[in-house]
Amino acid sequence: MVALIVALVMKTFLVQVFVIPSGSMEQTILIGDRVLVDKLTPWFGAEPERGEVVVFKDPGGWLENQHGASTDGVLLRGAKQVLTFVGLLPSDNEQDLIKRVIGVGGDTVECCDEQGRILLNGKPLEEPYLAPGNPPSRQPFKVKVPAGRLWVMGDHRDVSADSRFHMGNPGQGTIPVSGVLGRAFMIAWPVGRVHQLDVPVSLSSVARAAPDPGTARNVVGVGPIPEEPPLVMGVLGILPLVGRRVGRPGR
């Protein structure tokens, strides 16, 4: 009982482990990696900053619900619900994604300059975290991020169904700060890939602009939306062995 209570407190307020099911953040985060997500600092009013990798709830229309009907019996289904509630099993109902914050409220994000670089408040970005062979974006766009919202993109731009592909949705591609579950600050598994996820200076050093409630957009030639897995599965990391036994890599 003590272990379950500790597990529930950690999952809700402190740190949660998420299993990465897609390649949209390669080469920074690979399929099957376990990332530690800080869920504590948002409780103290901290908001995501540019360059941070964040896990957030689907703001609506980003994911398709692909879960089939359960064939578990009543007792097994009940046991799974309890273990999922405290974070010891992955949830089949969570609709979470993971991306990098490129723009915050007030920022103007645009693709692209003559060298093909993303412009942030008119300043070209150096993005060393991009997957090899990927341009910063193949889709032209221009957006002014409203207050209280974020513009997010995957590091593997060619396969990431990020803000660029949802500009026709409510929020015009941006996501609400209130939907962010926390910042991914470390890869915790496998052992050979354990390292901290740093914030790139090229993003954090750009001067902030004054936010306003409007969002301007100019999108040209957006192609088919890449497939995005329906969830990033949350697992509690109370012990490394627990994470290893109950976590399952996504497709």
Side-chain angles (χ1 to χ4, degrees):
M1 286 301 298
V2 171
L4 291 177
I5 292 171
V6 171
L8 179 59
V9 170
M10 288 185 65
K11 172 180 178 288
T12 305
F13 299 107
L14 301 178
V15 175
Q16 190 169 6
V17 178
F18 283 84
V19 184
I20 305 304
S22 82
S24 69
M25 284 298 295
E26 294 174 340
Q27 297 290 326
T28 306
I29 306 174
L30 304 182
I31 295 174
D33 281 353
R34 273 66 166 171
V35 297
L36 298 183
V37 174
D38 170 19
K39 301 180 74 173
L40 177 64
T41 52
W43 287 90
F44 295 93
E47 294 191 356
E49 298 289 344
R50 298 194 213 100
E52 294 182 349
V53 177
V54 296
V55 172
F56 57 95
K57 292 291 185 183
D58 180 3
W62 286 45
L63 295 174
E64 295 291 336
N65 190 345
Q66 302 179 9
H67 304 300
S70 174
T71 57
D72 295 334
V74 175
L75 291 178
L76 180 58
R77 185 165 60 249
K80 284 186 175 181
Q81 287 174 346
V82 171
L83 293 175
T84 297
F85 181 69
V86 298
L88 293 179
L89 277 182
S91 171
D92 288 332
N93 299 316
E94 291 187 7
Q95 297 284 287
D96 304 331
L97 300 103
I98 185 166
K99 305 292 178 193
R100 188 182 299 276
V101 177
I102 303 298
V104 297
D107 286 340
T108 297
V109 189
E110 181 178 0
C111 173
C112 288
D113 68 2
E114 294 181 354
Q115 285 74 47
R117 297 171 297 183
I118 297 288
L119 295 172
L120 179 61
N121 297 336
K123 180 179 178 180
L125 292 178
E126 298 299 330
E127 300 187 276
Y129 44 78
L130 292 183
N134 276 212
S137 180
R138 299 186 192 274
Q139 293 78 31
F141 63 88
K142 183 176 182 179
V143 60
K144 187 173 178 64
V145 183
R149 301 188 72 89
L150 306 168
W151 179 267
V152 296
M153 300 174 74
D155 290 355
H156 195 170
R157 298 283 162 82
D158 281 349
V159 302
S160 178
D162 49 40
S163 288
R164 297 169 295 166
F165 295 93
H166 299 283
M167 297 188 76
N169 293 17
Q172 297 176 318
T174 62
I175 66 166
V177 171
S178 60
V180 174
L181 299 179
R183 175 196 170 194
F185 64 93
M186 178 176 288
I187 295 177
W189 188 264
V191 172
R193 286 186 43 76
V194 173
H195 65 275
Q196 184 173 323
L197 296 172
D198 296 321
V199 177
V201 176
S202 60
L203 282 160
S204 61
S205 63
V206 178
R208 297 190 66 157
D212 64 47
T215 302
R217 60 174 178 154
N218 179 19
V219 186
V220 181
V222 175
I225 299 178
E227 289 188 2
E228 192 79 32
L231 51 86
V232 174
M233 293 161 286
V235 189
L236 179 73
I238 187 170
L239 289 173
L241 287 178
V242 172
R244 290 170 60 184
R245 290 175 180 172
V246 306
R248 55 186 176 90
R251 63 177 179 78

